[in-house]
Amino acid sequence: MIIQNWLEQLCLMIPNVQASIVVKHFHQGSDDQPIAYWPNQSIDCDRLLQSLPLLKAQLSPVVTMGKPLSRDNNTAKKSNDTLIIAFPLSFCAYSSGAVILEVEAKINQQAVLLQMLKWGQSWLQLLLNNIEKTGDTVRQPQDSLKEKSEKHHHEQPKQIPSNYLVIIQAILSCSETQQANMTLVNEVSRCWPFDRVSLGIVNGNDVEVKVLSHSAHFDQRSNLVVNLQQAMIEVKNETEGRYFLSSQVEELTDYPEHQRLLLQHVQHENNALISIPLKNNAQTIAILLCEFQSQALSTKKLSTKKLSNEKLSNKEKLEQDLAYQNTIDDHADTKLMASKYLTELTLLASMLGPLVGLHQRGTQSIPEHIMGRSRAYLTRLNQGRFGKLPLAFGVILLLMMTFVIDSDFRVSTEAALEGRIQRAVVAPFDGYIDSAFARAGEQVQKGELLAQLDDRPLQLEKRGWLSKKEEYQKQYRQELATLSHAKSRIIKAQIAQTDIHIDQADSRLQRAKLLSPLSGIIIEGDLSRSLGAPVEQGQVLFEVAPLDDYRVVLKIHERDIAYLQTGQKGSLMLTAYPNHSIPLTIEQVAIVYEQEGDYTWYRTEASLSSEHLPDNILLRPGMAGLGKIEVGQKSLAWIGLHRLTDWLRLWLWSWTP
């Protein structure tokens, strides 16, 4: 019966199957009589058994071309080819057989058909193995109650396999994870008389309720969903499923969340919960929680004051005893149903776990996939023959290797570029800005005009001194004509003093033109928006730095300053050029220090090697990046733990007397 049901479901899954049979013990010289048929026993078995000798010879799937079925001419032109596929089966360790199908399909579709048959073989083996185990575990006839349960279990294989295949087929047809989860709970709710089925996905130590049967949307913060989540967490570490009855709610002290869920339905009788963990690679990945209420309810409720009232008549007492006995029978039936459903769902869960895990892996990111595979590998390693011994040995060996293997120890720090020479252009005197010809960021040549101050007051001052000089020269000639030598010498001295003032005015007029002191780039200064603004003598208006001479300023932490020395090599990687590493050399260590919070940073200068500078990069003052100074060879353990050991030394030294 199991093989017949399996063959029917298999032929329904594979499209355009015309006929199919299953042969058992085909390799032991038997008469090759089929043990299962589809669609009925009236099919032409000899037509299908023709491919059996070739299958016996090579013991691998055989695909042959069959004769097309009789059709009219128009239909025959549009029909597919007729393929006869013989596929070997393994029923158990000592029994094997084959399934032979006649399918209408193109010859290039045989790979897909063989893959579907391979899946069908796996389902058949799983069904036979699980049903055999289930039959062994339920044969415990101790009383009449367990005899009923045994009867239910013996009837189970007649219906469950078809339900399993329908549920698995529905889940496999879903392309999205959420759709597959919703299909799972809806199909379970349809195949069994459950009021509500919920599925929670395990995420570390937590469980997230993903779907509820027949509920497309729900609020994760609702009391119902929170209670379901807490109940799933209680059975997350269980190795097998459990059922919980409302008649035993007072005994569920170890499962308070399940007890709370049962008490929410206190207005009903004979409620039950079934919680089953879904496992994949021996790891719980999801929890399936099913709720149902037994339909075998008694017509009268149990009276808690039975026989306590002596005024009751004999008839009333008899009715009360009958209601009490009916309630007990109802509770027994509920327990039988819960046990039966638990056995069936446990068998189904062994197949649903890998399917749910397959959909979860399809939506995982690369880091999540790597972590999941690593966790599964460690779990298999931990559950191996030697337990945790190989893992512990590997960890110890890895730690020992860190003390032996040496690597380059480098001090990493923030770095910035500065011009080795920076010249400032200042205001020569108090005045006003008349015009600006350059601003920050522009390249200039030595002697190029950057800006000009207002020189009109200086021009007026110069003309005043020139007119005064002409007046002194006129007086000087008159005194010479009168032969007044004393006065002429005084006027000559005044003329010389006037020349000095004129020279000072010319010098100030010359300095009113602000010229670049060197060829380079203006790194600071923009007077184009300050025309007419007053400036004071000595005020810095521009800063100019050369383009071919830089130094690197490193910000060294005080805990690393002891490792640095002059002449050490390193590399610089700028934020603007993350693909280029520029070599550098330490020139001066710990020139000045800077306090930031609880830490002290020391300014260290390094030079760039112009010979190793890439040709396609453009360096500018102010560029920042990361610098690494090569200190020497140290072990991997020392590199990873030296800061911790240094802190421990200081801490121990502070507490020693």
Side-chain angles (χ1 to χ4, degrees):
M1 180 61 69
I2 299 300
I3 298 177
Q4 180 66 39
N5 291 339
W6 170 82
L7 182 61
E8 292 177 358
Q9 294 296 329
L10 181 66
C11 294
L12 291 176
M13 291 178 58
I14 300 177
N16 300 328
V17 177
Q18 304 301 318
S20 179
I21 60 173
V22 175
V23 180
K24 194 174 184 181
H25 303 299
F26 71 92
H27 63 286
Q28 296 179 358
S30 61
D31 54 357
D32 298 333
Q33 291 297 322
I35 61 174
Y37 306 84
W38 192 89
N40 49 55
Q41 296 184 3
S42 61
I43 62 176
D44 186 7
C45 296
D46 296 336
R47 176 184 177 90
L48 300 178
L49 291 173
Q50 291 178 358
S51 60
L52 199 57
L54 185 58
L55 181 64
K56 292 180 179 180
Q58 64 184 26
L59 297 178
S60 61
V62 176
V63 180
T64 59
M65 297 292 295
K67 297 180 180 180
L69 299 177
S70 60
R71 299 182 179 87
D72 53 38
N73 295 332
N74 296 332
T75 306
K77 293 180 181 179
K78 300 179 181 179
S79 62
N80 296 326
D81 300 328
T82 300
L83 304 179
I84 297 179
I85 304 175
F87 194 89
L89 297 177
S90 176
F91 301 117
C92 62
Y94 306 101
S95 179
S96 60
V99 57
I100 307 174
L101 296 91
E102 183 178 10
V103 186
E104 282 191 0
K106 296 293 184 183
I107 190 65
N108 56 4
Q109 296 178 346
Q110 59 177 334
V112 179
L113 297 175
L114 291 175
Q115 182 63 39
M116 297 180 72
L117 288 173
K118 185 178 180 180
W119 291 343
Q121 179 194 17
S122 301
W123 293 342
L124 179 61
Q125 291 178 351
L126 185 61
L127 286 174
L128 294 175
N129 293 337
N130 287 329
I131 289 174
E132 182 180 357
K133 294 178 181 178
T134 305
D136 295 339
T137 57
V138 299
R139 296 170 184 171
Q140 299 174 358
Q142 296 179 0
D143 50 20
S144 61
L145 180 63
K146 294 188 178 180
E147 289 178 358
K148 294 181 181 180
S149 176
E150 182 182 10
K151 182 179 180 181
H152 284 298
H153 286 302
H154 285 302
E155 295 175 353
Q156 169 188 340
K158 297 181 180 179
Q159 178 65 20
I160 289 180
S162 61
N163 291 343
Y164 291 174
L165 294 177
V166 170
I167 295 175
I168 292 173
Q169 181 182 7
I171 296 175
L172 287 175
S173 62
C174 299
S175 58
E176 298 181 358
T177 303
Q178 187 67 13
Q179 180 185 4
N181 295 337
M182 180 60 70
T183 302
L184 189 154
V185 295
N186 288 339
E187 289 294 329
V188 171
S189 178
R190 182 183 63 83
C191 296
W192 283 271
F194 295 144
D195 298 330
R196 181 171 56 225
V197 180
S198 54
L199 180 69
I201 302 300
V202 177
N203 185 11
N205 295 326
D206 197 9
V207 178
E208 182 181 0
V209 179
K210 288 293 185 180
V211 288
L212 301 178
S213 59
H214 309 296
S215 298
H217 303 284
F218 56 89
D219 188 3
Q220 290 283 353
R221 297 170 295 181
S222 62
N223 294 332
L224 173 62
V225 176
V226 172
N227 292 338
L228 290 174
Q229 178 184 4
Q230 296 299 324
M232 292 177 182
I233 294 177
E234 286 183 344
V235 297
K236 181 174 68 67
N237 297 324
E238 297 286 342
T239 57
E240 57 185 10
R242 297 178 59 93
Y243 64 84
F244 305 88
L245 305 177
S246 59
S247 59
Q248 303 174 355
V249 68
E250 297 180 355
E251 302 175 3
L252 302 178
T253 55
D254 296 335
Y255 300 91
E257 298 300 332
H258 286 77
Q259 186 181 41
R260 185 177 293 106
L261 278 177
L262 291 172
L263 291 176
Q264 288 181 353
H265 305 279
V266 70
Q267 67 273 20
H268 302 291
E269 294 183 354
N270 299 334
N271 291 313
L273 301 176
I274 299 178
S275 297
I276 300 179
L278 304 183
K279 296 181 178 293
N280 185 26
N281 295 329
Q283 181 181 3
T284 302
I285 61 172
I287 305 295
L288 188 67
L289 194 148
C290 307
E291 307 173 55
F292 72 96
Q293 180 184 3
S294 175
Q295 301 298 325
L297 297 178
S298 60
T299 57
K300 292 186 179 181
K301 296 182 179 180
L302 177 64
S303 174
T304 57
K305 298 181 180 180
K306 177 176 175 294
L307 298 178
S308 61
N309 194 346
E310 298 178 356
K311 297 181 180 181
L312 295 177
S313 62
N314 293 332
K315 182 178 180 180
E316 292 175 345
K317 292 181 179 180
L318 182 61
E319 292 178 351
Q320 195 177 52
D321 292 339
L322 181 60
Y324 179 77
Q325 185 63 37
N326 289 337
T327 304
I328 294 178
D329 293 340
D330 291 345
H331 292 167
D333 291 339
T334 304
K335 186 174 182 180
L336 282 174
M337 293 172 61
S339 177
K340 174 177 177 292
Y341 295 156
L342 176 61
T343 303
E344 296 173 353
L345 291 175
T346 301
L347 183 60
L348 178 63
S350 62
M351 295 181 285
L352 292 181
L355 290 179
V356 175
L358 179 64
H359 277 282
Q360 286 183 354
R361 288 194 298 271
T363 58
Q364 285 180 342
S365 61
I366 294 178
E368 291 175 347
H369 181 72
I370 295 175
M371 291 296 296
R373 294 296 298 271
S374 302
R375 193 181 299 111
Y377 175 76
L378 292 177
T379 302
R380 291 195 300 268
L381 185 63
N382 190 19
Q383 295 176 352
R385 178 180 178 183
F386 299 99
K388 297 182 179 180
L389 183 60
L391 181 61
F393 179 76
V395 172
I396 295 174
L397 181 61
L398 183 62
L399 290 176
M400 293 178 62
M401 290 177 63
T402 59
F403 288 91
V404 178
I405 300 176
D406 292 339
S407 180
D408 293 332
F409 173 54
R410 297 183 295 180
V411 176
S412 301
T413 181
E414 299 177 6
L417 281 182
E418 286 186 0
R420 186 175 295 276
I421 301 174
Q422 292 186 7
R423 294 291 179 84
V425 179
V426 301
F429 49 81
D430 296 341
Y432 298 89
I433 299 174
D434 181 63
S435 57
F437 304 100
R439 59 180 181 176
E442 295 183 359
Q443 296 185 23
V444 294
Q445 300 297 326
K446 183 177 181 180
E448 183 177 343
L449 182 62
L450 304 179
Q452 185 170 355
L453 301 181
D454 187 5
D455 59 352
R456 287 176 295 179
L458 296 177
Q459 295 287 355
L460 292 176
E461 182 181 355
K462 180 180 178 180
R463 285 197 293 267
W465 287 111
L466 288 174
S467 62
K468 198 167 186 179
K469 179 180 179 181
E470 292 178 357
E471 182 180 354
Y472 285 151
Q473 288 177 348
K474 185 178 179 181
Q475 293 177 3
Y476 179 72
R477 288 191 295 268
Q478 290 177 356
E479 294 297 333
L480 285 178
T482 59
L483 299 176
S484 178
H485 298 289
K487 288 184 178 182
S488 63
R489 285 195 296 270
I490 293 173
I491 295 174
K492 188 177 181 181
Q494 290 176 346
I495 292 174
Q497 187 178 10
T498 305
D499 290 335
I500 293 173
H501 285 290
I502 293 174
D503 292 338
Q504 289 179 348
D506 289 336
S507 175
R508 295 168 71 182
L509 283 172
Q510 187 65 29
R511 287 186 294 163
K513 297 179 180 180
L514 304 179
L515 305 178
S516 175
L518 50 84
S519 297
I521 186 173
I522 301 176
I523 62 176
E524 185 178 349
D526 185 4
L527 303 182
S528 60
R529 300 181 181 180
S530 304
L531 298 180
V535 294
E536 297 179 356
Q537 183 177 0
Q539 180 179 345
V540 178
L541 303 180
F542 295 96
E543 286 189 4
V544 184
L547 290 175
D548 55 353
D549 195 4
Y550 294 97
R551 62 186 173 194
V552 182
V553 177
L554 303 174
K555 208 174 179 181
I556 306 298
H557 196 278
E558 60 179 341
R559 64 191 173 199
D560 297 327
I561 196 65
Y563 302 120
L564 267 63
Q565 296 178 1
T566 302
Q568 289 177 336
K569 304 294 182 179
S571 57
L572 170 67
M573 185 170 290
L574 298 174
T575 305
Y577 301 100
N579 298 327
H580 297 280
S581 179
I582 305 173
L584 56 85
T585 305
I586 299 295
E587 289 185 343
Q588 295 181 346
V589 180
I591 302 174
V592 293
Y593 72 92
E594 180 181 356
Q595 192 76 23
E596 289 186 5
D598 297 335
Y599 300 100
T600 302
W601 306 89
Y602 286 91
R603 175 187 173 97
T604 300
E605 295 183 356
S607 61
L608 296 177
S609 177
S610 58
E611 298 178 355
H612 299 86
L613 284 178
D615 298 332
N616 56 344
I617 66 173
L618 184 63
L619 300 181
R620 289 292 182 267
M623 287 184 173
L626 182 67
K628 291 188 176 182
I629 310 302
E630 298 177 0
V631 175
Q633 291 283 329
K634 300 290 184 179
S635 65
L636 293 176
W638 186 92
I639 294 175
L641 301 175
H642 74 281
R643 290 186 178 177
L644 177 61
T645 55
D646 292 344
W647 178 83
L648 287 175
R649 289 192 188 98
L650 289 175
W651 183 80
L652 292 174
W653 185 81
S654 64
W655 284 95
T656 53

